Amino acid sequence: MKLNIITATFFIFFLNFTFAQKDVTIKGTVLEDDTNIPLEYATVVIKSKIDNKIITGGITDPKGKFEVEVPAGNYEISVEYISYQTKTFPEKNITSDLNLGTIHLALDVSTLNEVMVVAEKTTVEIKLDKKVYNIGKDLTTAGGTVNDALNNVPSVTVDVEGAISLRGNENVRILINGKPSAMAGFGDSNILSQLPAEAIERVEVITSPSARYDAEGTAGILNIILRQKETLGFNGSITLTGGNPDNLGTSAALNYRREKYNLFSNFGWRYSDAPRTTFTDVDYFDTLDEDGLIDEPEFRRIREDQKVDRLSRNYNANIGMEYFLNESSSITGSLFYNFGNDSDVSLNNSERFSDNIIVEETLRRERETEKDNKYQIAVNYVKRFGDDSDHKLTADFQYEKDKEDGLTYLSEDYIFTSQTTPEPFQIEQEFTYEDQKEYLFQADYVLPLGKDSRFEAGYRGNFKNSNTDYQLDQEDTDTGILKINESISNIFDYTENVNALYTQYGSKIGRFSYLFGLRLENTQLKGKIDSRLTEQELNTEFGFPIDTDFNNNYLGLFPTVNFIYNLNTTDNGNEESITLGYNRRINRPRGWYINPFPSRSSRTNIFQGNPNLDPAYSSTFDLGYLKRWEKFTLTSSVYYQHETDSFERVQENTGQTTTDGIDIIRTIPINLATNKRVGAELGAMYNPEKWLRLNSSFNFFQFETEGDFNGVDYGAKNTSWFARFSSKVTLPLAIDWQTSAFYRGARQDAQSDTDGIFSLDLAFSKEIINKKATISVNVRDLLNSRKYESVTTTDFYSRYSEFQWRQRQVNVSFIYRFNQRLNNKDRSGQRGNGGDDIEFEG
């Protein structure tokens, strides 16, 4: 009896002593063995050996770090990560704070036949200088292209011609894995319409870029991160696609990794024959000639109906190897190759009216072929110092080359005419040879200062050259012989060299983080026009003075400031933060914006570059707010941008006419005085149940331009908006159903009013063959309503236009994955992400 009393007394005393113990902190850093890659979402388990009960636990952050508080006592600690060997620390009496240091987890070779694939759930992360959208498994873009996937990213729109806009502004810089790339088409996003959407891992929307990024792009930057498997063994996936209108394609992603190296590759082939339609209806006004007399147009009205069959065959390959020199350094080499072979056939029916009576009808035929060869060689070196994976030096070299050969044959014939002896149309042939090359040299150094601060500095040099040889042959209607048009044929050699130095410093103080940066850029724009005409003759021909041999230098400072304040962060995932950013950026005119020789795709409407263009500069302020609950995420921001010497494309009468008396209208880019833009955006993601996911965003923007050209005031004020909504529902039999809707509101500029555009996409998918394969069906633009309609009004004409780049598309896709399995967690912080990984997140 006494023994029981003593035992009970001792037990009660022991409990009181135990509960009186202070809490201790257990912390450490989890890295992948051999590579020192931080393992985010690794699980830390604190277990009592007495009853084998889990006392508490936690997960690692993007740096692989963790901190867990637990009452002092005897515990066994284990660190787990899927597909990796569990690290267990034997039971020990923990009476004070314990730092386990760096914990290396090795891959579990017994699971080499099972590899993670990307997460299915779309999420958003807010960092100091960007929003990161992990776009997940988007069914509506299965079998589609990178452009299709971008069109589902909040803040981003891709118009009917493939032009990419950020917050309604087309001057957006496209990067691939953090760097300019041949995959983005030397600044032309057209190649993104050839790469498969499945190649994307995530998209970084950078509206307030830090100093590490190029200052190019007044709207901001879209950084497209491509997938790269990191797991030992041989694995990959194969995708087959078929659709109507004709859309056939196959792509393969193959990866083989051992402890000392990683081989990765992507291959793709695509065949498409997508029709395009254009309709225009132009009413011409009376004008005054030089003597002030009324000059009546040859035709009061011209109506054109154009149909284009676009045959495209595209091949691309990306192969590379990363070799781990030692535990702290690696070198990666890759080769990207793309070959495109396009053939377009256009039929343009033109009806010409006088006094509302058709007096003439013609049919214009255009056959265009283009072959495009481009490749990119890239080398990347990474050196990490010590145990801190953030202390590192990276060096990059890229060489890109692109060669395009184009041939266009143009002819036009009368179907009906009221002329007694009509003037015959000339047959025309265009030959275009374009050779582009680009060198990139880049070095970045990152130095952590203490636990929560970081210093960075670096250099980037971009050196581009493009040489365009254009020849126009026109028929002598008397002899039928094609002769070179001496006034139009030319060679245009254009060079853009940019040298940049940057430095930035970021730190975190409690809930407050900041990042200050400064970038110095020197831009050299050189151009030489080799023409058979003299400079004076060219000035007369084009109607404005041009310099046939120019060399312009611009030196600019581009400061960036970014703040983030975490209002609330809890263990259950709820968080709330406010961000504020400022940046100054530049918009450099591209070669086709400067080349003064007009395009010839139409006899009556031409595009002509302006060699007098100066770069535009912008200053932008951005205020953002994030609130995240367990099942609901809300993002919002307001912004203001002031741009000087902004670019605007305007239309004017050249004063010239075709052989049958039709006025020739040209579109030309000019520098306006200012462009003020203000806007707001709101995004929401809601996952109330496992079987239901909802995602929506709304963007409102207003811009006001001021300026004139050739005595015409092109000032305008425009308000517009766009919104998108998507839902994903899991139906019985594990069938996923996704619906995506998009609407862009009407907008105006100095000369045009454009109607709103609505489109609706549907998709269904199901996993088969023990979840090793997925079959999906999607319909893009279900209602066939994605059409561009506008009215342009000038002093000499009013034109209604209707344009459809691609009609309703139905695709069926089959994806087979070998040595892979689905998993709801995606690895983060891996090498090759190409991002500016400032970890002071909100």
Side-chain angles (χ1 to χ4, degrees):
M1 183 69 178
K2 285 185 177 180
L3 182 60
N4 290 338
I5 293 174
I6 293 173
T7 301
T9 303
F10 177 79
F11 183 70
I12 293 172
F13 174 80
F14 175 77
L15 287 177
N16 289 334
F17 177 80
T18 300
F19 284 111
Q21 295 298 301
K22 66 176 183 178
D23 287 346
V24 296
T25 300
I26 303 172
K27 63 181 181 180
T29 302
V30 182
L31 304 179
E32 183 184 65
D33 198 18
D34 293 333
T35 66
N36 288 327
I37 297 173
L39 295 179
E40 185 181 5
Y41 298 120
T43 304
V44 181
V45 179
I46 313 296
K47 184 185 296 184
S48 170
K49 289 291 288 184
I50 297 176
D51 54 5
N52 203 32
K53 181 180 179 181
I54 296 177
I55 303 302
T56 187
I59 61 173
T60 56
D61 64 14
K63 290 185 177 182
K65 299 180 183 297
F66 69 87
E67 286 190 11
V68 179
E69 289 190 355
V70 65
N74 291 312
Y75 302 108
E76 178 187 89
I77 306 170
S78 62
V79 181
E80 306 171 357
Y81 195 80
I82 191 166
S83 297
Y84 286 75
Q85 297 175 5
T86 299
K87 181 82 170 182
T88 302
F89 296 87
E91 181 182 15
K92 64 182 300 183
N93 185 23
I94 303 175
T95 59
S96 60
D97 291 348
L98 175 63
N99 187 349
L100 296 175
T102 301
I103 304 166
H104 289 91
L105 297 187
L107 285 155
D108 187 353
V109 294
S110 65
T111 63
L112 291 185
N113 63 331
E114 296 181 331
V115 182
M116 291 179 298
V117 296
V118 298
E120 180 178 328
K121 182 178 178 181
T122 298
T123 60
V124 58
E125 300 173 61
I126 305 296
K127 297 193 177 184
L128 266 170
D129 59 344
K130 61 193 173 189
K131 296 184 182 76
V132 181
Y133 292 96
N134 299 292
I135 61 176
K137 191 168 72 172
D138 192 334
L139 306 182
T140 60
T141 63
T145 67
V146 169
N147 269 352
D148 296 329
L150 289 178
N151 212 26
N152 284 347
V153 175
S155 305
V156 180
T157 56
V158 182
D159 71 11
V160 290
E161 295 179 288
I164 299 171
S165 299
L166 180 58
R167 292 172 167 177
N169 188 343
E170 290 186 7
N171 184 227
V172 55
R173 178 72 157 161
I174 307 294
L175 302 179
I176 304 292
N177 293 336
K179 294 181 285 292
S181 173
M183 296 185 195
F186 291 86
D188 178 2
S189 62
N190 285 340
I191 193 173
L192 298 180
S193 65
Q194 305 296 338
L195 296 177
E198 290 80 6
I200 297 181
E201 177 181 314
R202 65 183 185 272
V203 177
E204 297 177 344
V205 179
I206 310 173
T207 53
S208 185
S210 67
R212 176 185 241 193
Y213 293 101
D214 285 343
E216 172 72 27
T218 55
I221 294 172
L222 287 180
N223 187 22
I224 301 170
I225 309 299
L226 302 181
R227 292 177 181 170
Q228 180 179 333
K229 297 293 189 300
E230 292 284 344
T231 307
L232 282 173
F234 179 64
N235 54 83
S237 63
I238 298 174
T239 302
L240 302 175
T241 300
N244 181 50
D246 291 352
N247 180 34
L248 300 174
T250 180
S251 63
L254 307 175
N255 195 82
Y256 181 72
R257 177 175 168 179
R258 306 305 296 170
E259 292 186 359
K260 292 295 293 182
Y261 61 87
N262 182 31
L263 296 172
F264 54 90
S265 63
N266 290 275
F267 303 94
W269 169 80
R270 186 165 182 256
Y271 170 96
S272 66
D273 192 357
R276 170 176 66 84
T277 60
T278 303
F279 174 78
T280 60
D281 194 347
V282 185
D283 290 314
Y284 291 91
F285 308 143
D286 291 339
T287 57
L288 298 178
D289 61 18
E290 295 178 353
D291 299 324
L293 301 176
I294 294 178
D295 186 6
E296 295 185 0
E298 180 73 16
F299 302 102
R300 282 293 180 184
R301 181 186 179 192
I302 298 179
R303 189 167 60 190
E304 294 184 315
D305 193 356
Q306 182 186 41
K307 292 181 175 60
V308 183
D309 287 326
R310 298 176 299 155
L311 176 61
S312 176
R313 289 150 292 186
N314 189 272
Y315 312 83
N316 62 79
N318 184 33
I319 58 175
M321 182 179 78
E322 181 175 15
Y323 183 76
F324 310 114
L325 301 172
N326 50 50
E327 292 186 357
S328 61
S329 61
S330 66
I331 187 168
T332 303
S334 64
L335 170 66
F336 170 79
Y337 174 75
N338 177 267
F339 174 74
N341 188 359
D342 297 340
S343 179
D344 296 352
V345 177
S346 168
L347 297 178
N348 188 1
N349 185 269
S350 178
E351 298 175 332
R352 293 149 195 174
F353 296 78
S354 290
D355 298 325
N356 292 321
I357 299 174
I358 296 180
V359 295
E360 192 169 277
E361 183 177 0
T362 64
L363 180 63
R364 179 179 173 88
R365 300 174 180 87
E366 179 177 342
R367 295 196 300 272
E368 180 181 5
T369 59
E370 181 179 274
K371 293 183 179 180
D372 187 359
N373 273 281
K374 58 169 61 71
Y375 67 88
Q376 171 186 287
I377 300 171
V379 179
N380 168 263
Y381 172 76
V382 178
K383 170 65 178 177
R384 296 177 175 84
F385 302 94
D387 293 332
D388 192 340
S389 61
D390 281 347
H391 186 194
K392 62 183 178 180
L393 171 69
T394 61
D396 292 275
F397 167 76
Q398 283 184 185
Y399 172 71
E400 304 172 5
K401 187 173 178 63
D402 184 8
K403 186 176 181 180
E404 297 181 17
D405 295 336
L407 169 63
T408 303
Y409 179 87
L410 305 167
S411 65
E412 190 165 358
D413 296 299
Y414 290 101
I415 296 176
F416 160 77
T417 179
S418 61
Q419 299 182 56
T420 305
T421 55
E423 184 76 21
F425 296 106
Q426 290 178 310
I427 293 175
E428 295 183 354
Q429 280 189 157
E430 294 178 304
F431 301 90
T432 304
Y433 308 95
E434 188 168 9
D435 195 352
Q436 302 183 74
K437 56 186 175 182
E438 176 178 353
Y439 296 88
L440 167 71
F441 301 92
Q442 180 175 336
D444 299 284
Y445 176 69
V446 181
L447 175 65
L449 300 173
K451 179 182 178 182
D452 294 320
S453 299
R454 190 162 84 169
F455 168 80
E456 291 187 54
Y459 162 81
R460 175 179 285 184
N462 268 84
F463 309 98
K464 307 177 186 178
N465 174 263
S466 65
N467 188 284
T468 304
D469 187 344
Y470 176 81
Q471 178 179 315
L472 174 64
D473 293 349
Q474 291 179 310
E475 179 190 19
D476 184 329
T477 54
D478 293 329
T479 64
I481 299 175
L482 292 176
K483 297 181 179 180
I484 296 178
N485 184 317
E486 302 285 356
S487 63
I488 297 296
S489 301
N490 71 95
I491 299 175
F492 182 57
D493 190 280
Y494 180 67
T495 298
E496 176 185 305
N497 297 325
V498 180
N499 286 280
L501 294 170
Y502 82 91
T503 182
Q504 61 185 25
Y505 175 79
S507 185
K508 183 177 181 180
I509 305 173
R511 296 183 176 183
F512 178 74
S513 301
Y514 62 87
L515 179 64
F516 298 137
L518 184 64
R519 189 176 185 91
L520 174 68
E521 287 194 353
N522 174 257
T523 301
Q524 181 187 38
L525 303 179
K526 296 194 302 180
K528 185 175 182 180
I529 300 171
D530 185 0
S531 171
R532 291 175 172 82
L533 299 182
T534 65
E535 188 168 304
Q536 181 62 42
E537 289 173 330
L538 288 174
N539 294 343
T540 303
E541 179 74 20
F542 298 142
F544 56 88
I546 65 171
D547 188 351
T548 58
D549 190 357
F550 59 89
N551 187 349
N552 301 322
N553 276 270
Y554 307 91
L555 185 66
L557 279 174
F558 302 92
T560 61
V561 179
N562 289 285
F563 301 102
I564 188 169
Y565 182 72
N566 292 315
L567 299 170
N568 179 38
T569 302
T570 61
D571 294 335
N572 62 4
N574 294 355
E575 58 182 279
E576 186 177 15
S577 63
I578 295 176
T579 59
L580 177 64
Y582 164 79
N583 65 87
R584 183 173 187 260
R585 301 188 63 74
I586 185 175
N587 182 10
R588 303 181 184 93
R590 297 301 176 193
W592 71 288
Y593 254 40
I594 289 181
N595 190 341
F597 290 89
S599 67
R600 299 288 296 180
S601 60
S602 170
R603 293 190 308 120
T604 58
N605 292 279
I606 63 174
F607 178 87
Q608 186 173 359
N610 180 3
N612 302 317
L613 276 183
D614 290 324
Y617 295 89
S618 71
S619 293
T620 304
F621 296 87
D622 192 299
L623 178 64
Y625 172 76
L626 166 75
K627 176 67 175 177
R628 194 194 310 271
W629 293 269
E630 183 179 358
K631 297 182 178 181
F632 185 79
T633 300
L634 176 69
T635 60
S636 62
S637 64
V638 293
Y639 55 91
Y640 170 78
Q641 181 183 86
H642 183 274
E643 185 176 4
T644 58
D645 287 332
S646 63
F647 300 162
E648 181 78 13
R649 284 178 290 187
V650 300
Q651 296 180 2
E652 62 178 13
N653 197 324
T654 61
Q656 302 172 346
T657 61
T658 62
T659 55
D660 50 345
I662 303 175
D663 288 339
I664 298 177
I665 300 165
R666 74 176 170 193
T667 300
I668 185 171
I670 62 171
N671 286 116
L672 283 180
T674 61
N675 184 358
K676 300 175 185 177
R677 181 180 294 263
V678 62
E681 54 187 355
L682 180 69
M685 297 181 181
Y686 183 44
N687 306 126
E689 302 292 343
K690 289 184 178 180
W691 55 269
L692 176 62
R693 296 177 186 140
L694 305 174
N695 186 352
S696 65
S697 63
F698 175 81
N699 278 259
F700 168 86
F701 52 90
Q702 179 185 82
F703 65 85
E704 182 177 359
T705 58
E706 297 177 357
D708 60 81
F709 180 70
N710 285 344
V712 179
D713 183 5
Y714 290 104
K717 189 173 184 178
N718 172 47
T719 298
S720 189
W721 59 277
F722 64 87
R724 55 168 49 91
F725 171 81
S726 68
S727 65
K728 188 174 180 183
V729 179
T730 301
L731 302 173
L733 303 178
I735 298 174
D736 287 329
W737 167 28
Q738 183 172 331
T739 304
S740 295
F742 173 82
Y743 182 80
R744 175 164 182 164
R747 63 187 189 275
Q748 305 83 34
D749 59 26
Q751 295 178 309
S752 300
D753 293 321
T754 303
D755 292 344
I757 295 178
F758 174 78
S759 63
L760 180 68
D761 303 336
L762 292 181
F764 299 87
S765 79
K766 179 172 175 54
E767 292 169 4
I768 57 177
I769 316 178
N770 296 323
K771 296 188 176 181
K772 292 181 179 180
T774 302
I775 186 168
S776 62
V777 179
N778 62 48
V779 184
R780 295 188 56 79
D781 196 12
L782 176 68
L783 305 179
N784 205 34
S785 57
R786 194 171 174 80
K787 298 178 181 179
Y788 180 96
E789 297 180 58
S790 66
V791 175
T792 300
T793 304
T794 69
D795 292 337
F796 47 92
Y797 75 87
S798 175
R799 180 176 65 198
Y800 168 79
S801 301
E802 183 179 301
F803 178 78
Q804 186 174 23
W805 180 260
R806 181 176 64 183
Q807 66 185 48
R808 178 174 46 238
Q809 180 79 43
V810 181
N811 289 323
V812 178
S813 295
F814 174 79
I815 302 175
Y816 180 77
R817 300 173 291 272
F818 55 93
N819 294 339
Q820 296 190 18
R821 70 176 178 190
L822 293 175
N823 185 62
N824 62 356
K825 294 205 184 282
D826 187 20
R827 290 185 56 187
S828 301
Q830 298 180 10
R831 90 176 44 79
N833 60 13
D836 189 5
D837 293 320
I838 300 297
E839 297 298 344
F840 313 126
E841 302 177 19

